[in-house]
Amino acid sequence: MRVREVAAAARKLDLPGRRVLVAVSGGVDSTVLFHALHRLAGPLDLDLWVGHVNHGLRGEESDRDESSVRALADKYDVPVHVARVDPERLRRGRVSRERPTLQEAARRVRYDALRAMAERHLAERLATAHNLDDQAETVLQRILRGSGPDGLGGIPERSSDGFVVRPLLRIPREEILSYATAQGLSWREDPSNADPTFARARLRASWLPGLRDAFNPRLLRAIGDLAEAQRRDSEWIAEIVEGEAERFLSEEDGGLRIERSGWEALPDALARRVVRLALRRTGAARDISRVHLERVVNTLRSGRPGSRIELPGGLELACEHDAFRLRRTPVAGKGAC
């Protein structure tokens, strides 16, 4: 990994002249990201701050991670801010169909804490250390689980609001490790990254290396190129979907009102995307499969009197006298269409 690669990514992500909060876990990826950006702080006029989130999931080891990050920031005389969070709070009291996995909960509270930290200290960007290996693992996981086209876009180089940026996204972990060794950096290892009970760890340890050795030595780059191309396509398709959503969807009584007419004229792919957007707006996208999308589209097109289907997340799509309603709790007393 060359610092000029990180510099080019930083310029593309509009970092020069900004205050940037660097999310540092203590692992090698985030340590290298911080070190490279610190070397670029002068040339790019970066005002760097370090942010760390202690999930407390590994007991004393989590506290040692925090101490390591504090020491790194102190060594380079960069302000450091730490938030302690409890991922289990997002899981307590929820039924299984609505309860996120511990990893999902940890990710949500981590990003919430980092965003709050950045807002409090007037940081204009949040930089995370996702790399090319992370991208390949994410795309392959989604393929194995049955992803649609949008899922192939993987991890975006920046969030939709431009706040979260990922300068290492096109750099493989192998080069990151080489950089860390050449620079004499030290970092912390999280044993869960190698725990074979996690699908991502199995991908990382055996499946990706096997595919690369057997089929394509540039597999990571090929998957990264696929993700970028799909993401660009999805960006302009999203504008079309939003336009159709304006025509078909409107918020009503804690749910969505969905127009009955016009669905037959929509191409299948566009109809499924509008339905996915509707389900995302009502909080059910996590558990929705292609089968669910097709059921909803078929129901919207048929418009049979009394049509009513149950969906993940406690949702129900019901055909009523004037429109379809998508909501968590059916409203009693409405007439069937």
Side-chain angles (χ1 to χ4, degrees):
M1 185 188 92
R2 298 177 178 85
V3 173
R4 66 170 177 264
E5 293 177 87
V6 183
R11 292 189 181 94
K12 182 180 178 182
L13 295 168
D14 194 27
L15 297 191
R18 298 187 182 277
R19 175 170 291 181
V20 180
L21 180 71
V22 186
V24 183
S25 66
V28 63
D29 300 336
S30 58
T31 299
V32 165
L33 173 63
F34 167 74
H35 188 270
L37 289 179
H38 186 267
R39 291 177 64 182
L40 294 167
L44 298 185
D45 187 27
L46 302 177
D47 181 10
L48 289 187
W49 295 47
V50 167
H52 177 77
V53 178
N54 186 337
H55 303 90
L57 296 176
R58 294 165 46 236
E60 292 183 358
E61 289 301 308
S62 293
D63 293 337
R64 292 191 181 101
D65 292 345
E66 178 184 328
S67 297
S68 174
V69 172
R70 289 185 182 276
L72 178 68
D74 289 344
K75 177 179 178 179
Y76 292 95
D77 195 27
V78 171
V80 58
H81 302 280
V82 174
R84 294 196 167 218
V85 298
D86 175 19
E88 287 289 356
R89 70 176 174 79
L90 294 185
R91 292 163 46 82
R92 284 191 288 267
R94 295 193 178 190
V95 296
S96 59
R97 69 186 181 190
E98 297 178 356
R99 186 168 56 242
T101 66
L102 185 57
Q103 287 180 313
E104 289 171 337
R107 181 181 182 278
R108 289 186 205 174
V109 297
R110 177 169 65 253
Y111 272 97
D112 287 347
L114 288 167
R115 279 184 173 273
M117 195 183 298
E119 182 177 345
R120 187 164 58 251
H121 299 289
L122 305 181
E124 299 168 272
R125 296 288 186 272
L126 169 64
T128 70
H130 294 88
N131 57 56
L132 189 57
D133 288 60
D134 295 321
Q135 182 71 287
E137 292 161 10
T138 297
V139 172
L140 284 176
Q141 273 192 303
R142 292 179 179 178
I143 291 173
L144 293 171
R145 291 172 179 170
S147 173
D150 288 347
L152 299 183
I155 306 169
E157 60 194 350
R158 71 179 86 204
S159 58
S160 57
D161 61 2
F163 177 68
V164 180
V165 296
R166 301 176 174 97
L168 302 185
L169 195 59
R170 299 289 293 176
I171 299 176
R173 185 170 288 116
E174 183 179 24
E175 293 184 16
I176 291 172
L177 286 167
S178 295
Y179 177 96
T181 301
Q183 296 295 324
L185 303 179
S186 58
W187 62 89
R188 300 273 299 165
E189 294 287 356
D190 182 349
S192 68
N193 290 332
D195 186 345
T197 60
F198 296 111
R200 184 177 288 269
R202 296 195 298 276
L203 271 174
R204 182 177 298 151
S206 56
W207 299 351
L208 263 174
L211 288 170
R212 187 170 51 214
D213 294 343
F215 297 102
N216 185 357
R218 292 179 56 81
L219 178 66
L220 295 181
R221 189 67 62 188
I223 296 175
D225 290 344
L226 168 66
E228 185 171 356
Q230 182 58 49
R231 197 162 54 250
R232 297 289 177 259
D233 285 351
S234 294
E235 286 171 358
W236 70 261
I237 291 172
E239 296 181 11
I240 300 173
V241 175
E242 288 286 350
E244 294 297 337
E246 287 293 320
R247 184 159 68 99
F248 284 99
L249 311 178
S250 56
E251 293 187 10
E252 179 183 85
D253 298 331
L256 287 179
R257 180 185 191 278
I258 303 177
E259 297 297 328
R260 290 181 56 193
S261 62
W263 288 96
E264 299 84 356
L266 286 185
D268 289 348
L270 182 53
R272 284 195 296 269
R273 285 177 180 272
V274 175
V275 167
R276 183 180 291 280
L277 179 60
L279 293 167
R280 185 180 298 125
R281 289 182 179 179
T282 49
R286 170 177 173 261
D287 301 311
I288 295 298
S289 69
R290 183 183 179 89
V291 172
H292 295 119
L293 296 179
E294 291 178 348
R295 283 185 65 203
V296 173
V297 171
N298 289 337
T299 301
L300 293 172
R301 285 174 171 169
S302 67
R304 290 190 299 271
S307 297
R308 190 179 299 271
I309 59 173
E310 294 182 356
L311 296 164
L315 287 176
E316 181 181 76
L317 178 68
C319 179
E320 300 180 354
H321 69 281
D322 59 338
F324 284 94
R325 260 81 184 187
L326 181 65
R327 58 203 169 198
R328 290 188 179 276
T329 304
V331 178
K334 294 282 186 178
C337 62

